[in-house]
Amino acid sequence: MTMSTTLSQTALLLELEPVVARNLDRHLALAKEWFPHEYVPWSEGRTFDGPLGGEAWSPTDSTIPDVARTALIVNLLTEDNLPSYHHEIATLFGRDGAWGTWVHRWTAEEGRHGVAIRDYLTVTRAVDPVALERARMTHMSEGYANAHGDEVLHSLAYVSFQELATRISHRNTGKATGDPACEALLARVAADENLHMVFYRNLLTAAFELAPSQAMRAVADVVADFQMPGSGIDGFARKSVAIALAGIYDLRQHRDEVLQPVLRQWDVFNVTGLNADGEAAREQLATQLESLERAASRFEEKRDARAARLSLR
Ligand SMILES: [Fe+2]
Ligand SMILES: [Fe+2]
C-alpha cells in the first residue's frame, strides 16, 4: 500500500478491528465495576408534591452554588442524549464483532452516568426537577448528530477529545458544588470518561500508522469545528459562558488540557509519510492551535478584568 492510498470507510473499520479487540480487552481489564446507588445520599431525600402530596421543590432546598447547578444540568442533559450517541456510533461502527461489543459496552457504561447524576440531583433537591425534566424532553427531542457522523476517523478524533472534555467538565463541576458526595460521584464518572478517551485515542494512534494523511485530516477538521456534545441544549450559549467564567470548562482548558495532551500522544507534529492534503491539514491544525491560544488568553484577560470589577463593588 502506498502512502497516497485512500482507505474507504469499510477498509478503515476492517483494518482497525484487531486494534478495537485489543483495546476492548485492555478496557475490560481496567474498568472497575461501580454502583450508582452507593454515591447517592438517599436519607436526605423527601417526597415531592404531585400524586404523593409531598413538598414542592424550592431553590433554597440546596446550598449548591448556581453555576454548579447549571453545570450539573448541562452535564446530565449531555449524558441523557445517550440514545442519539448510540445511534451515531452503532450506525457507523456497526453492531458486530469487536466494534459491536465496544459500542454496547460503552453505551452501558454511559447509561450509568445519567442514572447516577439524576438520582443525586433528585434526592438532594439540587435543581428544579420539573425544569430538569422539561429540559430533558426538549433536548432529547432534538436528538444529536455528529458533524462528521459518516467518517470513521473524524468520529474517532471527535470522541477522543470529547471524552476528555467530559472528564474535565465532570471533575470540575464536582469541585464547584462544594459537596463532597457530589465531588466523589463526579470523580467516579470522570474516571470512566478517561478510560473511554484512552480507548478512542489508541484507535486513532493506530489510524495514524495505517493512514497518516487521513488521520491528520480528520484531526484538523475536528479541532476546527469542535462543539461540546451538549451544544444543542436550550440556552447552551449562556450556560457555557457561566461555566467558563467559573473555570469549570473554558477555552484554556479546552486547548491545554483537552486538545494538547491528546495531540501530544499522537505526536502529530512529527508524523511522517503525509501526502499534500495531510501536510495541509497539519498546517491548519497548527494555525488553529495558535488562534485558540489567542482566544484563550483574551478570555482570561476579560475574566480577570471582570473579577477585579466585581471585587471593587
Ligand atoms: Fe458519560
Ligand atoms: Fe464517556
Side-chain angles (χ1 to χ4, degrees):
M1 185 194 317
T2 66
M3 288 299 178
S4 58
T5 303
T6 299
L7 295 179
S8 69
Q9 301 303 314
T10 309
L12 288 167
L13 289 173
L14 279 172
E15 294 282 346
L16 289 174
E17 171 115 33
V19 187
V20 173
R22 276 200 303 281
N23 279 279
L24 179 62
D25 287 345
R26 180 186 182 280
H27 177 85
L28 295 175
L30 288 173
K32 287 198 189 71
E33 188 183 29
W34 65 278
F35 299 95
H37 73 272
E38 295 177 354
Y39 288 82
V40 178
W42 299 98
S43 60
E44 289 179 22
R46 296 199 311 280
T47 302
F48 286 99
D49 55 337
L52 299 182
E55 287 166 63
W57 180 83
S58 145
T60 57
D61 284 349
S62 166
T63 55
I64 285 183
D66 275 351
V67 68
R69 299 185 200 217
T70 300
L72 281 161
I73 291 166
V74 167
N75 291 4
L76 176 55
L77 293 176
T78 301
E79 298 284 355
D80 277 338
N81 235 357
L82 182 59
S84 268
Y85 310 145
H86 174 84
H87 174 82
E88 291 284 287
I89 69 168
T91 305
L92 183 62
F93 298 157
R95 294 165 47 114
D96 305 320
W99 280 108
T101 307
W102 168 258
V103 164
H104 290 118
R105 169 76 194 204
W106 174 87
T107 303
E109 291 187 10
E110 292 291 356
R112 193 181 275 161
H113 300 167
V115 167
I117 298 170
R118 171 162 288 96
D119 283 348
Y120 170 86
L121 291 179
T122 308
V123 166
T124 61
R125 294 180 169 240
V127 303
D128 180 348
V130 173
L132 179 65
E133 179 60 7
R134 287 179 179 153
R136 188 187 66 81
M137 288 298 293
T138 304
H139 186 50
M140 289 189 71
S141 299
E142 287 293 312
Y144 171 84
N146 179 347
H148 306 280
D150 53 357
E151 293 168 294
V152 174
L153 300 188
H154 285 72
S155 296
L156 290 175
Y158 177 76
V159 287
S160 300
F161 297 126
Q162 169 269 315
E163 293 281 3
L164 185 51
T166 314
R167 173 202 184 187
I168 288 182
S169 170
H170 280 309
R171 205 182 47 196
N172 291 339
T173 299
K175 286 183 195 155
T177 63
D179 174 3
C182 190
E183 196 171 344
L185 166 61
L186 293 186
R188 191 66 204 70
V189 171
D192 282 1
E193 311 296 19
N194 195 52
L195 274 185
H196 297 161
M197 177 275 288
V198 171
F199 178 91
Y200 291 125
R201 191 190 67 194
N202 289 350
L203 276 182
L204 208 67
T205 300
F208 266 108
E209 285 161 24
L210 185 68
S213 298
Q214 284 174 269
M216 193 68 76
R217 169 50 59 202
V219 170
D221 287 352
V222 163
V223 168
D225 64 9
F226 187 89
Q227 292 269 13
M228 288 296 257
S231 59
I233 292 169
D234 208 24
F236 182 78
R238 187 170 33 80
K239 289 179 166 72
S240 63
V241 168
I243 287 166
L245 285 173
I248 292 171
Y249 196 86
D250 60 25
L251 265 184
R252 172 61 61 203
Q253 287 154 332
H254 182 64
R255 184 189 183 283
D256 294 357
E257 294 177 41
V258 173
L259 300 180
Q260 288 285 37
V262 176
L263 294 172
R264 216 175 293 130
Q265 279 284 327
W266 293 328
D267 202 13
V268 285
F269 292 106
N270 293 306
V271 167
T272 54
L274 295 179
N275 62 21
D277 185 62
E279 288 291 356
R282 178 154 60 190
E283 278 169 38
Q284 285 160 20
L285 183 58
T287 307
Q288 182 67 22
L289 288 172
E290 283 163 25
S291 87
L292 272 170
E293 171 59 42
R294 286 192 298 276
S297 299
R298 264 199 315 274
F299 177 77
E300 287 172 318
E301 283 164 24
K302 275 191 204 159
R303 182 169 61 191
D304 291 349
R306 180 177 174 275
R309 268 199 318 277
L310 290 174
S311 73
L312 286 176
R313 276 188 192 166

